[in-house]
Amino acid sequence: MPTDLARLMLDPSLLPPEKRTLLSRVADQSAALGFPCYLVGGFVRDLLLHQPVNDLDVIVEGDAIRLGRALLQQYGGKLTPHAPFHTAIWHLPDSDETLDLITARSEAYEFPGALPSVTPSTIADDLRRRDFTINAMAVRVDGPHFGELLDPLDGQVDLQRGLIRALHPRSFVDDPTRILRAIRYEGRYRFQIEPATLKWIDAESLGVLSSLSGERLRHELDLILAEENAAAMLLCTESLGVLHAIHPALPRFDSTRANLLGQLPSADLNLPCERVTLGYLVWLLDVPAEDLTVLCRRLDFTSELSETLVGASRLKAQLPALTNSRPSVWTFALEKFPPLSVFVVSLVTREPALTTFLATWRNVKPHTDGETLKSLSLPPGPRYKEILSRLRAAWLDGEVKDEAEEKKLLEFLAK
Ligand code: ATP
């Protein structure tokens, strides 16, 4: 009798056929080696929620490196084994994709917040090291066991009840990134953090969170900002004291900006920007530039993101001084900022000059260039820049409307 999970794994609207083929290959090779083989975590959780899955998290009871070698021999590709962790990455043949192969393991934390040390173990132990019951289920896929659910921690019940439940009281102290993960799953599935689990987000675990590296914290915040429901998640980070623990200067997310998180620049603006970047810009726009520098360092932001954030914050502060200026004044002022800074300030303030600058003004250039000036026998020097700027301003402010008018003005300026 096929189980529910077997049927769900065979449904092409939930598991794309090429992933299904990949899964069969892994399962067959694993069966041939006599290694029980499982898919775990989000794969099981999302299938049980009848949601499409893409990532295959493969765990074997045995030796993932040997499994990788068998797959390599049978199907080709490339293998990167990692002996200390008994894991391997299989680079699939004729594709840029990779598949992680993991040996079931147990974990120990040397001190709170440390990265764990690992020992090969059983699937039951492997599930016990996980973050939440809904992520601690496995489905076996080798041979006749295809589709068997392993759910020793009652994840399926919590999935039905809509609860995010940590596995033990020290879970967040061991690894406080789980606090941000809990908030993310709660917001994504519109679940609730189970009351005891909520209590474990306390002064002690938040204290360990404070000591985590910027890189680990930023990674979790990136994952939150990539989500549809990021606004609710950010609000939750504030109410649970997470933001303050990361850095006291991190502001509460302004919920009136929730709808801005998905408003990426349109393609014609030619401003490449990802949802996560836009998220940080919208969230941190009102932080004063001095505090931003500290936050950017704390969260290990790239220099590009840091400059865009500082630019946006400074521009917003300068905006009142620019209101009602001529287009040329706007343009020369706005050009000093990264275009993405201008974009985010335009989203938040709705100042029409910013939108016009991005769509039109910044591309306005006179026909005249350095070569034209040379041909007029003007000696090169600072005057070139003055004349070209003056001509550009004339176009921007509507003083000249065609090439003939520009020429006339040029003749006057070049006298
Ligand atoms: P998502 O849809 O968010 O990617 P996922 O379950 O695939 O969900 P991953 O971050 O890819 O999430 O992690 C895979 C699995 O590894 C999780 O389902 C969970 O079982 C386990 N895991 C990940 N991070 C942790 C952690 N910090 N502590 C314990 N277990 C974790």
Side-chain angles (χ1 to χ4, degrees), residues 316-374:
K316 184 151 179 271
Q318 284 179 23
L319 218 50
L322 283 164
T323 313
N324 301 326
S325 297
R326 277 177 290 130
S328 60
V329 175
W330 272 110
T331 303
F332 295 140
L334 295 177
E335 272 175 347
K336 299 203 172 76
F337 296 94
L340 206 49
S341 306
V342 180
F343 176 77
V344 73
V345 179
S346 85
L347 266 191
V348 170
T349 63
R350 302 264 156 223
E351 166 57 58
L354 301 181
T355 326
T356 317
F357 165 78
L358 289 170
T360 317
W361 293 340
R362 68 184 169 131
N363 302 316
V364 170
K365 303 263 147 58
H367 294 273
T368 307
D369 59 12
E371 288 304 313
T372 329
L373 298 184
K374 244 196 238 165

Side-chain angles (χ1 to χ4, degrees), residues 40-46 55 57 107 109 126-132 134-137 167 171 175-179 181 184-185 188-189 216 219-220 223 227:
V40 294
F43 181 91
V44 185
R45 178 196 69 219
D46 287 344
D55 284 347
D57 263 329
E107 287 183 348
Y109 292 85
D126 196 292
L127 295 178
R128 265 194 291 276
R129 76 180 168 87
R130 290 174 184 271
D131 46 5
F132 308 111
I134 59 165
N135 284 345
M137 293 181 275
L167 304 193
S171 180
D175 179 356
T177 63
R178 292 173 184 161
I179 298 174
R181 292 176 64 85
R184 180 156 57 89
Y185 292 122
R188 183 195 296 170
Y189 300 113
R216 282 180 78 188
H219 175 67
E220 295 301 330
L223 292 174
E227 297 269 345

Side-chain angles (χ1 to χ4, degrees), residues 69-81:
R69 293 215 176 96
L71 287 162
L72 189 70
Q73 198 173 28
Q74 195 71 25
Y75 302 106
K78 219 186 106 203
L79 195 73
T80 312

Side-chain angles (χ1 to χ4, degrees), residues 64-275:
I65 297 181
R66 274 184 65 200
L67 172 61
R69 293 215 176 96
L71 287 162
L72 189 70
Q73 198 173 28
Q74 195 71 25
Y75 302 106
K78 219 186 106 203
L79 195 73
T80 312
H82 189 53
F85 285 100
H86 311 275
T87 61
I89 303 171
W90 181 30
H91 304 260
L92 305 185
D94 310 316
S95 148
D96 292 337
E97 286 191 43
T98 57
L99 181 69
D100 290 342
L101 304 166
I102 314 279
T103 305
R105 65 204 197 191
S106 58
E107 287 183 348
Y109 292 85
E110 210 179 307
F111 56 87
L115 293 172
S117 58
V118 304
T119 331
S121 188
T122 58
I123 185 74
D125 274 348
D126 196 292
L127 295 178
R128 265 194 291 276
R129 76 180 168 87
R130 290 174 184 271
D131 46 5
F132 308 111
T133 57
I134 59 165
N135 284 345
M137 293 181 275
V139 56
R140 193 162 166 184
V141 291
D142 54 297
H145 297 283
F146 183 79
E148 281 175 15
L149 174 68
L150 255 89
D151 182 15
L153 301 159
D154 289 333
Q156 205 175 359
V157 175
D158 284 338
L159 208 54
Q160 276 153 7
R161 292 189 186 153
L163 292 177
I164 312 294
R165 185 193 306 270
L167 304 193
H168 58 88
R170 306 289 295 168
S171 180
F172 294 132
V173 176
D174 284 343
D175 179 356
T177 63
R178 292 173 184 161
I179 298 174
L180 287 151
R181 292 176 64 85
I183 292 168
R184 180 156 57 89
Y185 292 122
E186 180 187 57
R188 183 195 296 170
Y189 300 113
R190 312 290 207 269
F191 282 8
Q192 286 198 325
I193 300 177
E194 178 273 332
T197 301
L198 201 57
K199 283 209 191 99
W200 300 336
I201 304 177
D202 57 10
E204 187 183 6
S205 55
L206 290 173
V208 184
L209 183 87
S210 306
S211 69
L212 290 192
S213 72
E215 192 187 349
R216 282 180 78 188
L217 292 168
R218 201 210 50 246
H219 175 67
E220 295 301 330
L221 291 173
D222 284 358
L223 292 174
I224 284 182
L225 290 171
E227 297 269 345
E228 254 332 277
N229 199 16
M233 300 176 195
L234 285 177
L235 289 172
C236 186
T237 55
E238 203 260 345
S239 63
L240 292 179
V242 172
L243 292 188
H244 192 267
I246 295 175
H247 197 284
L250 264 180
R252 180 176 203 277
F253 179 72
D254 176 350
S255 58
T256 62
R257 294 184 187 168
N259 64 336
L260 304 184
L261 294 177
Q263 289 189 27
L264 292 170
S266 59
D268 53 320
L269 287 183
N270 193 19
L271 274 181
C273 174
E274 286 174 1
R275 198 184 157 92

